[in-house]
Amino acid sequence: MRRSILFALALGFAASARAEEEAELVTLCVFPDTIRIEHAGDRPRLVVLAIDADGLTHDVTAEAEVQAPELVRWQAGRFEAVADGDGELRVRVGALEQTLPIAVRGAASPRETSFHRDVLPVLTHAGCNSGGCHGAASGKNGFRLSLFGFDAAEDHQRLTRELRGRRLDPARPEESLILTKPTVAVTHQGGKRLEPGGPSYETLRRWIAGGAPIDAPARAELASLEVLPSQLVIGGADRHQQLIVRAHYVDGTDRDVTELALLSSSNDDTAAISDRGVVTSGRPGEAYVMARFGTLAEVSQVIVLEEAAPPSWPEGVEAIGEIDRFIHDKLRKMRLTPAPVCSDEVFVRRVFLDVLGVLPTPAEVREFLGDDAPDKRQQLVDRLLRRPEFSDVWAMQWAEVLRVEADQLEPKGMFLYTELLREAFASDVPLDELVRTLLTSEGGNFTNPEANFYLTERDPKAIAENVSQVFLGIRIQCAQCHNHPFERWTMDDYYGFAAFFGRIATKRAEDPRETVVFVRGSGEVQHARDNRVVAPKFLGGAEPEIKPGQDRRAVLAEWLTSKDNPWFAANIANRVWARFFGRGLVEPVDDVRVSNPPSHPELHRWLGERLAQSGWDLRALIRDITASRTYQLAASADDVPASAFAKANVRRLTAEQLLEAIGQVTGQPTKFRGLPLGARATQVAGGSPDSYFLDTFGRPRRSSPCACERRNEPTLGQALHLINGPTLTQKLRHERGRLKQLLASEASDEVILETLYLSAYARPPRPDELEALRAEIEGAGDRAAVLEDVFWAILNSKEFLFTH
């Protein structure tokens, strides 16, 4: 904790201390901050990082003066044990100095080669058990290993016993097939994977020579993984930085596994990573270097900047609250400046669409623009949050991921389920209470609409997958068949989580259309690997104590919605953030994993904590977001990453927003089957509203809980439908439509144009626009036809089709 605070403070230093040629080094960080050597052959690395006055990081390990006690020998960035004992290291670079403790144990005692700690990591790093090699479902060329070593016992069996043990030769280890094949001493279709005499080769040779034993897995169980340094800010291309990957085990030991971890970069153009853990900077940008070892993965953030003096922070740009502080901290690191605050015209249109899913009326625009109150924006948000459209929007948002649709739910149940959600948001039911109600629901799906939650899926495994993805933002589907290759989730985690839902059953009620959900007294989930019965287990946690007769789901619901749960609150808050910014801090919002970290981890955590502390009050969180300077930024043509939130991300209106907007502006709402005229698209209960327009513009079918079902990318079909499709044309030309009514009232051209602009854009026409359009109208023979063309152009313009 102290080191992270020091790192953050150093990054905040002003550029005024910059020297003529190179910025002054102001902080020294040494990684790791404690050196432990636990056996002969343990050779941990040391990385010395200097931070300059501009916040840039520099690998100064080669220049560092390291004063080590006689317990160890320091050479080429690594330590080697000489004698047991405790001491202190002193690291100096120029005038900067750091000290750290060092402890040596077992200096003269080589550690026995472990199958779990040593052999499996070597096979994984060499790619032997990857999906493209022997880790494939059917193996390769008669030899199969478990994917990424998730089944160590089976792997040991195949290596040592299969084919009468011909793959190993303890008497002549060098002639063993698992050494001669990967070194291509004999033909190997997979090519050369090991270097003869190298560290990995020697690990396998020693293990074979020692009789190829298998040790107890508990001795090798990983507790955590870390990548050091966890943050880098590099100025310029072709700079190099050594990373350290350290594994921590449940027995309290740790180990440098840099050369055994699988290393990858999310953006090789910005930060390439070598097998030995050396980052090489490239183009300006941001990347995450991921290290995977055993069943764990961890990342280090790398920001690469232009090799130039940082720009000064613009005057007058101050954080309004905590949200802005987190955003501004990263913008300063990335040398980005935020866009100016948007105009009132832009804000009123944006906030109406985001909060209510509708456009403001011309009267509402005029009222807001004429208000001189300094806090009028927040007053507007407060009024919008009490309108019924707000409940419709959030009921629809949840109905999508909860899969409220007619294929799985009887129509009556579907309507009642939707109304339950709408009423919950209208009456301020806390989000944790709503989720607990759904998770513990039972009874008839008509009399207890929340019971519909268990009718979209009946398989305990599928229910567990949906619960994890919707409420925690975690996709655990991969762990059904094997340990997750890029996450911490194992098959044991998967089936333990599914066991909470093993006793759910259904039956028909007296009304044959109604289904009753109930909890049986028995019913277990079996592990796919060995068919053993699995006890309920919290995802990534322990097995809870469940009393006889106690509903397992109630135990799960309390854990899941707890303020201490690291995922629930942050996931809900991230989904809310995505609604107002067009993307989440974690994007996609339902794919939380180590290899897909939040763009702003501290903000992501703070939003979740804020939501929990407010009593799970959705409206309070929305007030915080909309009150921030970050939300109120203008759009900009500057080429900055959308994930930086340095400007408003321009977003195409959703299918429902666009259809509603067209109906509002033309004065002709859409009639939906089963609903009265004037009902909004957000009030349609199911995922199949019998609307070609909504389908074309990406309304999800609700066949899965995945956020990816909603499609916002433009298509040719959308463009053609707007240009000459019946939806827009019929509404625009309708006899009782807005344009026909304005023409019938004999309003002037200026009044008509101002009304159309206020309706569509929430602003009056600019003088140049008004002058050009008046000239076009006056020069035409058919005034009505020209105004219709103008109206059509407005409805097809980017300013109308996008939130900006």
Side-chain angles (χ1 to χ4, degrees):
M1 177 63 72
R2 292 193 301 270
R3 182 174 299 280
S4 63
I5 293 172
L6 180 64
F7 198 93
L9 288 173
L11 288 177
F13 268 78
S16 59
R18 184 180 180 89
E20 182 176 349
E21 293 295 332
E22 185 174 330
E24 176 189 1
L25 300 181
V26 295
T27 305
L28 199 65
C29 298
V30 182
F31 302 95
D33 56 11
T34 300
I35 300 293
R36 289 195 295 262
I37 300 180
E38 294 159 349
H39 58 83
D42 188 4
R43 301 182 63 227
R45 284 176 177 78
L46 189 76
V47 167
V48 185
L49 188 77
I51 307 173
D52 66 27
D54 291 339
L56 301 179
T57 56
H58 307 266
D59 190 338
V60 293
T61 309
E63 301 94 72
E65 178 187 346
V66 179
Q67 296 178 1
E70 295 181 355
L71 302 172
V72 294
R73 184 180 300 110
W74 163 255
Q75 186 176 9
R78 306 187 77 152
F79 293 102
E80 185 177 343
V82 174
D84 287 0
D86 299 303
E88 188 176 74
L89 287 172
R90 191 177 301 275
V91 181
R92 181 183 294 113
V93 176
L96 302 176
E97 185 177 295
Q98 286 283 337
T99 59
L100 58 151
I102 184 168
V104 181
R105 304 289 184 269
S109 306
R111 180 172 60 79
E112 178 184 344
T113 303
S114 162
F115 181 72
H116 289 89
R117 283 200 187 197
D118 302 312
V119 175
L120 283 180
V122 165
L123 297 177
T124 301
H125 186 265
C128 304
N129 55 21
S130 66
C133 198
H134 301 291
S138 57
K140 212 68 146 179
N141 294 332
F143 178 36
R144 184 165 73 89
L145 293 170
S146 63
L147 185 65
F148 301 120
F150 77 86
D151 192 343
E154 189 67 25
D155 289 343
H156 186 268
Q157 173 73 17
R158 291 195 175 103
L159 284 166
T160 61
R161 301 292 187 269
E162 201 171 70
L163 298 180
R164 298 182 180 180
R166 65 185 290 265
R167 294 189 175 103
L168 303 180
D169 188 348
R172 295 170 295 178
E174 295 82 1
E175 296 185 18
S176 300
L177 278 178
I178 69 167
L179 288 177
T180 57
K181 281 273 191 178
T183 57
V184 294
V186 298
T187 302
H188 182 223
Q189 186 175 342
K192 191 173 185 178
R193 314 302 298 179
L194 294 178
E195 194 66 41
S200 294
Y201 178 95
E202 287 300 312
T203 296
L204 295 180
R205 189 195 64 76
R206 286 195 305 271
W207 176 67
I208 298 168
I214 184 170
D215 51 327
R219 291 179 53 197
E221 186 177 349
L222 282 168
S224 63
L225 193 70
E226 62 178 343
V227 183
L228 303 171
S230 61
Q231 286 184 325
L232 296 171
V233 182
I234 302 174
D238 297 322
R239 306 292 175 89
H240 305 287
Q241 171 69 57
Q242 175 71 56
L243 296 180
I244 297 175
V245 184
R246 293 194 67 78
H248 298 266
Y249 296 88
V250 293
D251 61 4
T253 61
D254 59 50
R255 178 187 177 198
D256 187 326
V257 295
T258 307
E259 293 180 354
L260 286 174
L262 295 178
L263 300 169
S264 60
S265 172
S266 64
N267 185 352
D268 286 319
D269 289 339
T270 292
I273 183 73
S274 73
D275 286 344
R276 295 182 175 273
V278 177
V279 172
T280 301
S281 61
R283 295 179 180 176
E286 182 180 18
Y288 286 89
V289 172
M290 182 178 74
R292 182 164 58 81
F293 181 77
T295 58
L296 300 181
E298 193 53 76
V299 296
S300 175
Q301 179 195 47
V302 182
I303 294 174
V304 178
L305 306 174
E306 294 279 3
E307 191 173 5
S312 58
W313 189 255
E315 293 184 6
V317 177
E318 297 180 359
I320 296 175
E322 288 295 293
I323 289 175
D324 296 325
R325 184 175 66 80
F326 289 119
I327 295 294
H328 290 180
D329 284 349
K330 184 164 184 179
L331 292 180
R332 284 188 172 98
K333 283 183 191 178
M334 299 183 71
R335 297 181 182 173
L336 298 174
T337 56
V341 172
C342 68
S343 66
D344 283 344
E345 291 88 348
V346 169
F347 178 82
V348 68
R349 186 177 190 269
R350 180 190 298 174
V351 79
F352 261 82
L353 286 169
D354 288 342
V355 176
L356 303 182
V358 300
L359 291 172
T361 65
E364 288 168 331
V365 173
R366 291 189 182 98
E367 179 185 1
F368 180 73
L369 297 182
D371 190 347
D372 295 329
D375 62 342
K376 69 177 185 179
R377 294 191 177 191
Q378 203 54 45
Q379 287 186 32
L380 174 62
V381 172
D382 290 338
R383 292 195 299 271
L384 298 184
L385 289 174
R386 305 319 311 176
R387 285 178 49 165
E389 297 97 322
F390 173 81
S391 305
D392 295 336
V393 166
W394 283 98
M396 182 193 72
Q397 294 261 113
W398 276 65
E400 289 177 9
V401 295
L402 294 175
R403 299 182 56 195
V404 182
E405 46 85 26
D407 289 343
Q408 296 296 327
L409 304 178
E410 201 280 338
K412 181 177 178 179
M414 178 186 68
F415 282 107
L416 291 171
Y417 196 6
T418 302
E419 189 56 35
L420 169 78
L421 295 174
R422 185 177 293 116
E423 179 57 32
F425 289 106
S427 56
D428 284 330
V429 173
L431 292 172
D432 64 328
E433 181 182 328
L434 173 61
V435 172
R436 284 196 299 271
T437 299
L438 296 175
L439 287 175
T440 59
S441 60
E442 56 185 318
N445 69 316
F446 292 174
T447 54
N448 297 296
E450 61 270 21
N452 285 283
F453 178 79
Y454 287 109
L455 299 184
T456 56
E457 286 290 355
R458 313 283 176 107
D459 184 347
K461 298 190 294 295
I463 295 172
E465 292 173 5
N466 291 354
V467 167
S468 176
Q469 188 165 349
V470 172
F471 299 133
L472 303 178
I474 298 171
R475 302 179 184 182
I476 61 172
Q477 290 87 335
C478 285
Q480 180 178 0
C481 302
H482 53 76
N483 292 351
H484 200 299
F486 305 115
E487 252 295 355
R488 60 182 296 182
W489 313 120
T490 65
M491 292 181 70
D492 291 345
D493 290 319
Y494 179 92
Y495 288 97
F497 198 62
F500 283 106
F501 307 102
R503 297 184 175 180
I504 299 172
T506 60
K507 62 183 180 181
R508 286 294 176 190
E510 292 184 5
D511 184 339
R513 300 172 302 162
E514 185 176 15
T515 303
V516 176
V517 176
F518 66 99
V519 178
R520 299 175 296 187
S522 62
E524 307 295 341
V525 170
Q526 292 180 306
H527 201 295
R529 186 185 302 165
D530 50 19
N531 292 322
R532 74 179 187 276
V533 172
V534 182
K537 179 177 179 290
F538 296 140
L539 196 59
E543 294 182 6
E545 181 181 350
I546 302 177
K547 299 176 183 178
Q550 186 177 14
D551 189 348
R552 295 175 172 183
R553 303 173 307 158
V555 176
L556 173 66
E558 287 302 319
W559 168 82
L560 190 145
T561 59
S562 166
K563 293 181 179 180
D564 297 327
N565 188 303
W567 300 294
F568 176 65
N571 167 59
I572 301 300
N574 186 52
R575 289 178 182 269
V576 177
W577 179 275
R579 167 75 187 183
F580 288 87
F581 290 91
R583 59 173 293 124
L585 297 168
V586 175
E587 182 67 24
V589 294
D590 55 2
D591 193 12
V592 176
R593 50 187 160 84
V594 171
S595 53
N596 184 38
S599 59
H600 298 72
E602 296 84 2
L603 175 57
H604 183 245
R605 183 168 52 252
W606 181 85
L607 287 172
E609 293 171 353
R610 172 68 173 148
L611 178 60
Q613 290 167 1
S614 71
W616 309 94
D617 187 340
L618 175 63
R619 287 177 171 86
L621 182 62
I622 292 174
R623 288 187 184 96
D624 286 338
I625 290 174
T626 54
S628 69
R629 188 183 192 280
T630 302
Y631 175 73
Q632 298 181 30
L633 293 179
S636 166
D638 293 345
D639 185 17
V640 297
S643 60
F645 301 103
K647 61 178 182 178
N649 293 324
V650 177
R651 299 164 273 150
R652 200 208 72 194
L653 270 61
T654 65
E656 295 84 1
Q657 287 175 337
L658 185 54
L659 184 57
E660 186 66 26
I662 292 173
Q664 279 186 259
V665 176
T666 59
Q668 285 299 301
T670 300
K671 174 68 171 69
F672 297 103
R673 187 175 58 185
L675 293 174
L677 182 64
R680 294 177 296 279
T682 53
Q683 296 175 308
V684 176
S688 302
D690 193 27
S691 169
Y692 176 79
F693 186 96
L694 293 178
D695 284 343
T696 300
F697 283 85
R699 178 182 170 97
R701 286 284 180 170
R702 304 181 183 178
S703 58
S704 82
C706 185
C708 59
E709 273 210 4
R710 178 171 287 278
R711 306 183 316 276
N712 287 323
E713 69 279 0
T715 66
L716 179 60
Q718 295 169 5
L720 293 175
H721 193 68
L722 288 173
I723 291 172
N724 56 18
T727 301
L728 192 149
T729 303
Q730 291 174 5
K731 293 179 183 297
L732 189 151
R733 293 176 175 174
H734 200 282
E735 288 300 321
R736 293 188 297 275
R738 185 184 298 274
L739 181 58
K740 295 289 187 180
Q741 294 294 320
L742 286 169
L743 290 171
S745 69
E746 299 184 356
S748 66
D749 295 342
E750 289 82 353
V751 170
I752 292 176
L753 291 173
E754 181 178 6
T755 302
L756 297 183
Y757 267 67
L758 288 172
S759 300
Y761 300 151
R763 68 171 178 87
R766 297 189 302 269
D768 60 320
E769 292 173 322
L770 190 57
E771 182 180 353
L773 290 173
R774 286 178 59 187
E776 188 72 23
I777 296 170
E778 291 171 359
D782 189 341
R783 175 175 177 254
V786 174
L787 285 170
E788 184 179 298
D789 288 344
V790 170
F791 202 4
W792 178 91
I794 288 173
L795 296 175
N796 275 278
S797 66
K798 291 180 180 179
E799 188 173 356
F800 175 72
L801 298 173
F802 288 82
T803 303
H804 43 81

